Each structure stands twice: as structure tokens, then as C-alpha cells.
């Protein structure tokens, strides 16, 4: 039976121990920096604004002379959910549709800045361009209006830029689409009041 030998332990040189220590410190710093960066990214990541259709009306829509030149009025509530990020809006344009038929179009707001965690009411008033009584769409619109329910769509477009502390993000093209239904008198149905609009960037 061979004699028992104690295991031999080799002590690391001071240089190797120093390198191992520096590597451990560097790894720890990288990990801490990664956690800090992730927390900052979560707190400063821009969230998209939210749009809600508060009101809509076309007074005298039930008259038999078409919609041309009638006022188209609406209010859209916009909410910036970011706690520390403001939003720059360029001019906001609005378009109102009945199916594929354009009812009204025009600008409703000049460029403005919205502060963090705030709400703005966008008031719009446009002049209807159609459908006129000579348009094929008028017969369908008039019939649905007589039945007390007409589906329509409001589209808002703009270019926005988020302001994060001292720097600004790139420009984003924005489109908000609000689908809704009006009553026979041209007012917004109660079920669609304050309904959220779809938002596309």
C-alpha cells in the first residue's frame, strides 16, 4: 500500500491576486452601472400621450340641404402621462370622415409645448365641405341620420418631440384616430363620450 501524501497547495502570487481583485471590482462596477442605467431608462422612457373624444357635434345636420358649410365642432382631451417629460407639438391638423368621404378638414392648434403629467383640451371648429345633396354619399348619410345613428371618424395628425430634461428626442409623426357615432340631431352618442382614440406613431 503506497504511503499517504498530503495534498500540495500552491499559493497564488501577489500579482495574480491583484488581477483577480481588480477583475472582481470592475465586474461589480459594470453591474452597478447597468442597474443605474436600467432604472434611469425606465424613469426617462417617453410614454405616448393619450387622446379622448370628449364631444362632437354638427348642428343642423338633419336638414335636407347637405352638410356643406355647416360647422363641425369637437373637443379632444389630451393627456401627457409622463412624470418628467414634456411634449412639443407642431401644428395639429384635423380631418372628419364619413366612411371614405371627407366631411371637413383644417388646422385646429398652432405649435405648443405641453408640460409633464398635464391635460389639454383641444377645441376644433371646421366648416363642412360635404357630402352635398348631389353626392352619392348623401343618400346613405341622410338615411342613417334619420335612423338615429351615423358612424364617423375624426383623425388628428401632427409631429411631436419629447423633451427629456436638457435634451430632446427625435421628431415623431403622430396620428390619432377617433371612431364614434352621432345621433340623428348631429350630437355625439353618450356611449362614445370620452372614448379613447387609437394612436399611431
Amino acid at each position: 500500500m503506497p504511503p499517504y501524501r498530503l495534498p500540495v497547495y500552491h499559493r497564488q502570487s501577489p500579482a495574480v491576486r491583484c488581477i483577480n481583485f481588480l477583475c472582481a471590482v470592475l465586474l461589480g462596477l459594470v453591474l452597478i452601472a447597468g442597474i443605474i442605467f436600467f432604472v434611469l431608462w425606465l424613469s426617462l422612457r417617453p410614454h405616448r400621450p393619450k387622446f379622448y373624444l370628449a364631444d362632437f357635434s354638427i348642428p343642423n345636420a338633419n336638414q335636407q340641404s347637405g352638410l356643406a358649410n355647416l360647422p363641425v365642432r369637437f373637443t379632444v382631451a389630451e393627456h401627457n402621462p409622463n412624470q418628467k417629460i414634456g411634449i412639443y407639438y407642431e401644428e395639429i391638423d384635423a380631418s372628419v370622415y364619413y366612411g371614405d368621404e371627407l366631411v371637413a378638414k383644417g388646422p385646429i392648434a398652432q405649435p405648443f409645448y405641453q408640460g409633464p403629467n398635464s391635460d389639454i383640451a383641444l377645441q376644433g371648429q371646421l366648416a363642412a365641405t360635404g357630402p352635398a345633396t348631389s353626392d352619392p354619399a348623401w343618400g346613405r348619410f341622410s338615411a342613417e341620420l334619420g335612423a338615429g345613428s351615423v358612424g364617423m371618424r375624426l383623425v388628428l395628425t401632427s409631429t411631436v418631440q419629447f423633451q427629456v430634461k436638457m435634451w430632446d428626442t427625435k421628431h415623431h409623426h403622430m396620428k390619432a384616430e377617433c371612431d364614434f357615432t352621432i345621433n340623428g340631431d348631429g350630437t355625439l352618442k353618450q356611449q362614445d363620450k370620452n372614448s379613447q382614440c387609437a394612436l399611431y406613431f
Side-chain angles (χ1 to χ4, degrees), residues 34-159:
I35 293 174
I36 294 174
F37 178 80
F38 180 70
V39 171
L40 288 175
W41 178 80
L42 286 179
S43 62
L44 297 178
R45 179 170 58 98
H47 295 281
R48 296 178 177 182
K50 297 179 180 180
F51 293 81
Y52 303 87
L53 182 62
D55 198 13
F56 184 96
S57 66
I58 306 178
N60 301 317
N62 53 2
Q63 66 183 12
Q64 296 303 310
S65 56
L67 297 184
N69 299 320
L70 289 181
V72 178
R73 299 168 183 159
F74 54 86
T75 301
V76 176
E78 189 274 342
H79 174 63
N80 177 10
N82 296 286
Q83 297 296 319
K84 299 180 180 179
I85 301 175
I87 305 176
Y88 288 104
Y89 285 88
E90 294 187 5
E91 183 179 79
I92 297 180
D93 293 308
S95 302
V96 180
Y97 293 91
Y98 165 64
D100 294 329
E101 182 85 10
L102 180 64
V103 174
K105 182 178 182 180
I108 63 166
Q110 295 301 308
F112 65 93
Y113 170 77
Q114 182 183 15
N117 193 27
S118 60
D119 298 278
I120 289 179
L122 299 171
Q123 305 278 350
Q125 177 163 324
L126 307 172
T129 57
T133 55
S134 58
D135 296 332
W138 172 249
R140 300 192 306 272
F141 183 90
S142 180
E144 293 177 11
L145 200 64
S149 181
V150 182
M152 302 188 73
R153 184 171 78 258
L154 170 65
V155 179
L156 303 179
T157 58
S158 183
T159 300

Side-chain angles (χ1 to χ4, degrees), residues 158-160 171-175 200-201:
S158 183
T159 300
V160 302
H171 289 85
H172 301 272
H173 295 291
M174 179 209 79
K175 180 172 73 170
Y200 305 94
F201 266 66

